[in-house]
């Protein structure tokens, strides 16, 4: 999606009826919208834990509509409806309950998301009595609160333990994603990256759209051809130019096939989309940002013998710190083992430069892949080809988010076989756990696609305002 990091809009436009009804639109402050929805959807006499849980779900649901531009991408001039058949209940002009007013004042700029994903959780819910659904039960949340569940415990119960709460999200004026002018041959920049990424994902479902070998932010002949084919398929003027209609049609189709507005969303991962983090990374840290750092370091260590290899496991341990210190020493940075903004940007810059050299001008199909094995790889196989296979599988695991990382030791053990079997299952191949020619080609193809996407990820670490006197590395 064009919006990389979701924000809280100052206002939201509500259609006071179903999508096609001849009803008025009202633009109201987002905080007031949530207060209205909460007062309309739940009872103020409920336990506060249940009220808070429901409000977090309501905020996240509304932000999903804003983030995915569901209605604007379909030609409507509003962000959400008041119809419970489609969205959340909103009663224009209604009174707000005092306790809900107080709670929303505190929580309105917090929202839910799946760990490792950037989009708000499409937090579907229903009353749990007359209507049930795959999501939060409103009355069920109250019963859990009576049993002593906290707000987050209630949300974990309904949405799973892999959700997290984003607190104090930025607040800004609502902005439509369309860049304001058409994109065409010769255009370049982040908006072109958005188009290229969406086309490549859509092409998985519509193979007639040619897949772009390189997502490079440059609107060349291949991008133009892919756009033209997309326009032909979806009944648009096939001029190869991304104007407003094509832009929003891309969003509409992309959101649909990735289910970004649904609870079981395919999800958009931080990796390959945004590398912007709120704080420094150091010994003891865990999570997505550490995983990405380790992946960068693992690539660099393959080309620089002074950087020790690291295991990509999402845990900033001693080996990761040693690799960071080695990198800092080589590049004249303070060797403190802490990855602050200067170190992060230096690591990313060298990673990107390395990948660009490997790709020889961003041509994704000229990467120096290890030749396909002449014999099927099975448990017990050893050697450089197995090491390469393990690296490819780890890159796929990093991008996928659901696959386990395996040691890169050149030994085809049970962990490697399990990773191969999981890939085969996801790719519709026979689940043998062995790597024959078809599996090898599928793995290397997936790896090439993933690495080519990293070329488009601008590095914006700081997570703080730049001030006079701040310096970057030379």
């Amino acid at each position: 999606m064009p919006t990389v990091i979701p924000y809280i809009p100052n206002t939201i436009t509500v259609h006071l009826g179903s999508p096609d009804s001849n009803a008025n639109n009202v633009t109201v402050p987002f905080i007031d919208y949530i207060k209205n929805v909460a007062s309309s959807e739940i009872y103020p006499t409920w336990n506060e834990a249940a009220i808070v849980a429901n409000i977090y779900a309501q905020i996240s649901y509304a932000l999903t509509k804003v983030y995915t531009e569901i209605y604007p991408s379909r030609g409507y001039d509003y962000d959400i409806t008041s119809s419970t058949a489609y969205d959340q209940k909103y009663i224009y002009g209604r009174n707000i309950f005092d306790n809900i007013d107080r709670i929303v004042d505190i929580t309105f700029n917090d929202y839910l998301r799946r760990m490792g994903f950037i989009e708000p959780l499409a937090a579907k819910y229903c009353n749990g009595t007359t209507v049930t659904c795959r999501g939060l039960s409103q009355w069920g949340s109250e019963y859990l609160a009576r049993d002593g569940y906290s707000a987050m415990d209630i949300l974990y119960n309904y949405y799973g333990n892999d959700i997290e709460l984003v607190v104090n999200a930025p607040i800004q004026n609502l902005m439509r994603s369309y860049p304001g002018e058409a994109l065409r041959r010769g255009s370049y920049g982040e908006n072109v990256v958005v188009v290229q990424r969406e086309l490549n994902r859509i092409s998985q479902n519509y193979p007639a759209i040619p897949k772009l070998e390189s997502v490079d932010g440059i609107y060349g002949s291949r991008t133009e051809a892919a756009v033209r084919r997309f326009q032909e398929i979806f009944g648009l003027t096939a001029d190869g130019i991304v104007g407003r209609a094509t832009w929003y049609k891309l969003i509409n189709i992309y959101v649909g096939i990735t289910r970004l507005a649904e609870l079981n969303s395919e999800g958009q991962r931080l990796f390959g989309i945004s590398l912007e983090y709120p704080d420094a990374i150091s010994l003891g840290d865990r999570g997505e940002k550490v995983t990405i750092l380790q992946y960068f370091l693992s690539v660099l260590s393959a080309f620089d013998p002074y950087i020790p290899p690291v295991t990509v496991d999402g845990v900033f341990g001693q080996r990761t710190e040693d690799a960071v210190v080695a990198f800092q020493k080589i590049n004249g940075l303070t060797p403190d083992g802490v990855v602050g903004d200067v170190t992060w940007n230096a690591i990313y810059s060298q990673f990107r430069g390395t990948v660009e050299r490997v790709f020889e001008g961003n041509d994704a199909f000229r990467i120096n892949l290890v030749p396909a094995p002449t014999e099927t790889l099975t448990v017990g196989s050893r050697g450089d080809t197995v090491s390469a296979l393990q690296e490819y599988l780890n890159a796929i695991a990093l991008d996928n988010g659901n696959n386990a990382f395996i040691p890169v030791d050149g030994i085809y053990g049970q962990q490697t076989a399990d990773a191969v079997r999981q890939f085969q299952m996801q790719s519709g191949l026979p689940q043998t756990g062995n790597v024959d020619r078809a599996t090898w080609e599928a793995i290397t193809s997936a790896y090439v696609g993933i690495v080519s996407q990293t070329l488009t990820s601008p590095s914006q670490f700081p997570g703080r305002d730049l001030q006079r006197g701040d310096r970057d590395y030379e």
Side-chain angles (χ1 to χ4, degrees), residues 448-459:
V448 165
I450 289 165
V451 177
S452 68
Q453 290 177 11
T454 68
L455 299 176
T456 70
S457 305
S459 173

Side-chain angles (χ1 to χ4, degrees), residues 15 129-130 132 190 198 286 341 385 394 418 432 436 453:
H15 184 66
T129 54
T130 59
T132 58
E190 288 304 308
E198 289 177 345
R286 294 170 175 263
D341 52 355
T385 302
N394 279 343
D418 290 343
T432 63
D436 56 9
Q453 290 177 11

Side-chain angles (χ1 to χ4, degrees), residues 241-425:
I241 298 172
V242 180
R244 181 182 296 273
T246 299
W247 178 272
Y248 281 113
K249 192 65 175 180
L250 279 164
I251 291 176
N252 181 254
I253 300 302
Y254 179 81
V255 168
I257 64 176
T258 58
R259 306 184 306 280
L260 286 185
E262 300 175 23
L263 189 57
N264 61 339
S265 164
E266 176 179 304
Q268 287 190 303
R269 298 185 61 77
L270 288 164
F271 181 69
I273 298 176
S274 170
L275 301 175
E276 185 172 344
Y277 294 111
D279 51 20
I281 313 170
S282 59
L283 189 66
D285 284 338
R286 294 170 175 263
E288 180 82 9
K289 58 187 177 182
V290 177
T291 299
I292 296 172
L293 168 69
Q294 291 171 328
Y295 181 65
F296 291 165
L297 289 170
S298 69
V299 172
L300 294 178
S301 68
F303 293 88
D304 191 331
Y306 294 101
I307 299 176
V310 298
T311 301
V312 183
D313 58 7
V315 180
F316 199 123
Q318 191 60 56
R319 293 181 67 180
T320 300
E321 185 180 59
D322 292 344
V324 170
V325 169
F327 177 89
Q328 289 171 326
K329 288 180 178 179
I330 294 168
N331 291 276
L333 304 173
T334 302
D336 56 7
V338 176
V339 182
D341 52 355
V342 173
T343 297
W344 176 271
N345 286 334
I347 290 173
Y348 178 78
S349 177
Q350 290 199 20
F351 165 81
R352 180 164 180 161
T354 298
V355 173
E356 286 176 345
R357 287 194 299 273
V358 170
F359 274 82
E360 297 182 7
N362 292 348
D363 185 347
F365 290 94
R366 294 175 64 183
I367 186 170
N368 294 324
L369 292 170
V370 171
T374 56
E375 298 180 355
T376 299
L377 298 178
T378 61
V379 172
S381 298
R382 292 171 176 261
D384 293 341
T385 302
V386 175
S387 294
L389 168 69
Q390 292 166 333
E391 290 179 357
Y392 302 158
L393 289 170
N394 279 343
I396 293 167
L398 177 65
D399 185 70
N400 182 284
N402 296 319
N403 297 18
F405 292 100
I406 56 177
V408 181
D409 56 11
I411 302 172
Y412 201 116
Q414 192 57 51
Q415 284 181 279
T416 302
D418 290 343
V420 169
R421 189 174 290 107
Q422 187 173 16
F423 176 86
Q424 289 170 327
M425 178 184 67

